[in-house]
Structures are given as C-alpha cells and as structure tokens.
Amino acid sequence: MYKKERKAFFNNLDPTFVLDNKMFWKNITAFFSDKRRNNNRIILKDKEGVILDEENICEEFNSYFIKATESLNCDGNSLLINKTSNFDDPIENIIQKFEVHPSILLIRNKVIEQSDNKFSFCEIRFSEVEKEIGALDPKIGNSSYSIPTKVLKNCSQSTVSILHNIFNDALKSGEFPNELKLANITPIFKKNDHLDKKNYRPISVLPIVSKLFERLIQNQINLFIAKFLSPYMCGYRKGFSTHQALLSLIERWKTSLDNNGYGGAVLMDLSKAFDTINHELIIAKLHAYGFDKMSLKLLFSYLTHRFQRTKVNNTFSSWSQLLR
C-alpha cells in the first residue's frame, strides 16, 4: 500500500511545482523555517503577564520599535561638537555644530582635491518620472492607504504630470511631503522565544509614491557622490556586490601571503546600525561634500517628522513619531 501511494503521488505531481523555482521555494520554505509563523496569531509576554489583544500587541510593538535604540547608549561625543550655534535656520545650526568634527575635517580635505564639488538638485524631467513609474514592480510592497502600484502604472498617463509637479514643487520648497513619510510596520519573527518582542524585527512599508520620489532624488545624488566613494565600498551601490568585496579581500590576502606576510579579517555586526545614525551629522557631512542649503533642507525634511504605526493582521496601532 505504501509503494502504491508513493507511485500515485509522483504520477500526479504537478511538474511546475518542482520546475518553477519561485513556486518550489514558496511551498517548501514553510516546512523548514519557523519564521513563517508570523502569519499566525502573535502573542507577547511582558512583566505584567501575557498580551492577547491584538490592539495592545500593536501598541507594544510600536512603542518598542521606536524606542529600541535608547538602551544602546550610543550618544555622540560632546567633545567633538561646537555648542555655540545660535542661528534661526536649523541647517546653519547643524553646520556650525559639527564644523570641528573629525569626520567633517577629513571630508573637507578630500573635497579640496575635487574641482567640481558643488551640488544642488536639478528639476526632475517629465520623462524621468515616466521612466521610473514604468520600472515599478507591481508586486512591490505598498502601504494600505497608498495608491496601489498596479493602478499607478496603468494610469500613468494621468499620474505622471501630477507627480511631476508635486516632486518639483518639493525640490523648490525644500520640503519633503509629510504624506510620503508615513510608514506601516510589520513585526517579523527572527529567532528564539516567540513571546518576546525583542525577537521580532520591524519591516517598514512606505507609500509607493514616496519610493518613487526617493529613486529620483537618489539618481541625482549618486551621479555627484560616486567620485568621492572608495572603490572598495561595495554596499548599497549599483554595479557592486558582495562577490567583488570577497574577491578583493582574497586577492589582497594572497598577495600578502606570497610576500611572506599575514592575512586576516575583522568582522563586525553593528546592532541597530541604521537606526543609530546621527541625522544631523549626515547633513553636516553632505554640506562638507558640497551640497547647497536648499538640497540639505530637503534631505533634512526627508529625515525628520516621520511617523509610523504597527500592523498585526488587520489591526493597527496609533501613529507615533520616530525618534532621531
């Protein structure tokens, strides 16, 4: 009976289940990973007991994700900043605050070697917006209150001109639209105890229009900043990959060993690396590279006054402002 059932199973097996790589892993991953349990009901445990209500769970997650970096004790070194800034303009205050910071001084020395070191955002062309909308993946994540990506692409003849005007108005005013800074957060289980909120990581989903504007801004920044980046920096750069980083290291180790030297590596994993970045220091660094005041105003607006809410199944937490 066992042999007959096995034979019947394989005779009736749909070939696409095995031959289609995406379909295969979609079905098989559930048997090997416990990270898919987040599709089920989430239950948390705190000092007061077990939390069962989804609304309370959402609020608990939202509060934890916003304050997750407070316990890392990563305050900046007060000896490296100038505390005498007294300008009404926040950008001017930031520039003066970090004018003696070691990283700013190093950047200035590096920028002097470059002849063209001034940057300002150019007006976004109609064709650029049209191209980026056409390149959007309909399956990409999108917030629940945003225009669906598929609708945005299908109605591009009507939406391109509207978005073109909105984006260029933002560049002129130096204000990133607040509606594009609202994020839905989904808690994804990582490892160990399912009842501990510390074992979940937040996945942020922004409106698709926000991602569209980000790409258009990024395209202009990349063209300017690329000449200052190290050829060995492979992270988050188009045309670079982990393969290149590994090959570079291997070749340098081989050369060292051939010359009777030593080969080694220091590997680091920074906790909450992106969450602990000092936004004001970023603005000061970009100014040192040559970004003008209006460009810095737009980027500072992009980084500040951001709000998020956490979603568990069909329940949402209240909106909360992200800490900087």
Side-chain angles (χ1 to χ4, degrees):
M1 290 176 64
Y2 171 70
K3 290 181 179 179
K4 286 183 179 180
E5 289 301 322
R6 282 190 52 159
K7 184 177 180 180
F9 171 79
F10 286 108
N11 287 337
N12 297 326
L13 188 64
D14 186 355
T16 58
F17 178 81
V18 180
L19 300 177
D20 188 317
N21 189 52
K22 186 175 182 180
M23 185 181 297
F24 172 79
W25 285 111
K26 180 180 179 181
N27 289 277
I28 207 70
T29 302
F31 296 101
F32 295 99
S33 174
D34 58 357
K35 294 183 179 180
R36 293 177 65 91
R37 292 183 186 177
N38 64 292
N39 293 329
N40 301 327
R41 184 181 180 186
I42 296 178
I43 300 175
L44 295 181
K45 180 178 63 177
D46 62 4
K47 296 180 181 179
E48 299 179 357
V50 177
I51 305 175
L52 300 174
D53 182 66
E54 283 193 350
E55 186 173 345
N56 292 334
I57 291 173
C58 288
E59 296 293 345
E60 190 73 17
F61 271 129
N62 205 45
S63 176
Y64 170 70
F65 291 147
I66 287 177
K67 301 176 181 178
T69 58
E70 289 184 348
S71 61
L72 297 178
N73 296 322
C74 54
D75 294 333
N77 190 337
S78 60
L79 300 176
L80 302 179
I81 60 176
N82 180 5
K83 299 180 180 179
T84 61
S85 55
N86 53 5
F87 293 96
D88 293 332
D89 183 4
I91 301 300
E92 289 288 353
N93 274 326
I94 292 172
I95 294 171
Q96 188 177 33
K97 181 179 179 180
F98 291 97
E99 65 179 352
V100 295
H101 195 279
S103 62
I104 301 298
L105 299 178
L106 286 173
I107 291 173
R108 286 176 180 167
N109 290 334
K110 186 176 183 179
V111 170
I112 290 174
E113 301 173 2
Q114 302 286 343
S115 57
D116 182 19
N117 60 346
K118 296 297 180 183
F119 174 86
S120 61
F121 285 114
C122 302
E123 182 177 347
I124 298 172
R125 298 192 298 271
F126 186 92
S127 58
E128 292 178 292
V129 181
E130 191 173 36
K131 179 182 177 180
E132 290 297 337
I133 291 179
L136 290 174
D137 183 357
K139 298 180 182 179
I140 195 171
N142 197 3
S143 59
S144 57
Y145 53 86
S146 178
I147 302 173
T149 309
K150 189 174 182 179
V151 174
L152 187 64
K153 287 174 65 74
N154 292 339
C155 302
S156 60
Q157 293 182 345
S158 303
T159 57
V160 170
S161 59
I162 298 173
L163 294 177
H164 176 255
N165 293 332
I166 292 174
F167 295 159
N168 282 311
D169 287 345
L171 293 181
K172 293 175 183 177
S173 65
E175 296 291 336
F176 196 91
N178 289 327
E179 294 80 2
L180 303 184
K181 296 189 284 187
L182 304 176
N184 283 339
I185 305 297
T186 301
I188 302 297
F189 176 71
K190 294 190 295 184
K191 58 182 179 179
N192 299 330
D193 187 6
H194 287 78
L195 301 179
D196 191 347
K197 60 189 176 185
K198 295 180 182 178
N199 294 326
Y200 291 80
R201 63 186 177 96
I203 300 297
S204 177
V205 180
L206 289 162
I208 192 63
V209 176
S210 177
K211 298 176 184 178
L212 186 65
F213 195 14
E214 288 174 6
R215 290 184 185 180
L216 293 166
I217 292 175
Q218 182 190 24
N219 291 339
Q220 295 191 29
I221 294 177
N222 284 346
L223 290 174
F224 173 80
I225 209 72
K227 60 178 175 286
F228 298 112
L229 301 180
S230 167
Y232 301 108
M233 180 180 175
C234 298
Y236 306 99
R237 296 179 67 186
K238 187 176 182 180
F240 290 79
S241 68
T242 53
H243 293 142
Q244 289 171 292
L246 187 57
L247 287 172
S248 174
L249 288 172
I250 291 174
E251 291 302 319
R252 294 175 71 178
W253 289 333
K254 288 165 60 178
T255 302
S256 178
L257 294 174
D258 290 341
N259 295 326
N260 297 320
Y262 297 92
V266 177
L267 307 178
M268 294 182 293
D269 183 13
L270 303 178
S271 180
K272 305 293 181 184
F274 287 100
D275 295 328
T276 55
I277 292 175
N278 188 320
H279 291 170
E280 291 187 346
L281 183 55
I282 289 179
I283 297 300
K285 287 182 177 182
L286 292 176
H287 175 262
Y289 276 117
F291 281 62
D292 67 6
K293 300 291 178 62
M294 186 57 70
S295 300
L296 296 176
K297 183 181 178 182
L298 176 70
L299 295 174
F300 189 63
S301 172
Y302 170 79
L303 293 170
T304 54
H305 298 100
R306 305 187 75 89
F307 287 80
Q308 71 175 42
R309 62 178 180 178
T310 299
K311 177 185 178 183
V312 175
N313 296 325
N314 293 320
T315 305
F316 292 89
S317 69
S318 57
W319 290 101
S320 299
Q321 186 172 356
L322 275 70
L323 302 178
R324 293 193 290 119

